[in-house]
Amino acid sequence: MVEFKPAGDSALVISFGEVIDEEINEKVHVVARAIEKASPEWLVEVVPTYSTVYVYYDPLMVSYTEVVEAVKPFLSAEPDDEKSRIVEIPTVYGGDFGPDIEFVAQYNGLSVDDVIEIHSRQFYRVYMLGFTPGFAYLGGMDERIATPRLEKPRLKVPAGSVGIAGKQTGIYPLESPGGWRLIGRTPLKLFDPRKDSPTLLQPGDYVKFVPISEEEFWELYSGGMIND
């Protein structure tokens, strides 16, 4: 059941439920794209999340009630024929690149090799972007490697770090503070403001982590795939 709720005096929240579900998330992005494509003059921004769409509008141009009525036709929007992308993320696991991988293994009664095999075997859906520019929240992680966040977040996490927090995994696109358990790092540049499309990953994409060696990491790194 779809619900409409105000968020402050200039945003509408379209809620499709309160669970993390791939089908619901797909609907969220179909509706969000349809509203963005229509681009009514009062529209400021559309922000899709796991199961909601935030529609920001200019309250000097339109009322909340009018926005609700205006977006209702978009709820019946159909998915386009474009297939979801699969983006491979080369990742070196453990060591200085993934200082928490041994804790993840011990916490779950596994070996480090088990953690790497389980983490790199899955295809992860990009449910939403947030936290920092280009930070992709990925769904589909095997619960066998679920691990709580750090009690005290790090003040500096290197760009490209791959982490686990609870039942989620993600990649830090920029150097930033963070409390996720770090298990590896990718040399790929996930966010580049100089590009027309600054974020490598987009909602609806699927991510596949591909284990690489430390030597391969530095070869790709020195090739300019990621910058400090």
Side-chain angles (χ1 to χ4, degrees), residues 128-130 132-137 171-174 190-191 198-201:
M128 60 178 283
L129 302 177
T132 59
F135 189 100
Y137 287 87
I171 314 166
Y172 286 83
L174 302 170
L190 278 79
F191 180 75
T199 57
L200 174 65
L201 301 175

Side-chain angles (χ1 to χ4, degrees), residues 34-81:
I35 296 172
E36 285 181 330
K37 186 176 181 180
S39 190
E41 59 180 358
W42 45 259
L43 183 66
V44 175
E45 186 179 14
V46 180
V47 180
T49 69
Y50 283 106
S51 59
T52 60
V53 179
Y54 281 75
V55 181
Y56 292 89
Y57 59 88
D58 185 344
L60 299 179
M61 298 181 66
V62 67
S63 69
Y64 169 79
T65 302
E66 289 172 325
V67 174
V68 171
E69 292 304 315
V71 301
K72 283 182 178 179
F74 299 115
L75 300 181
S76 58
E78 295 292 331
D80 53 39
D81 294 330

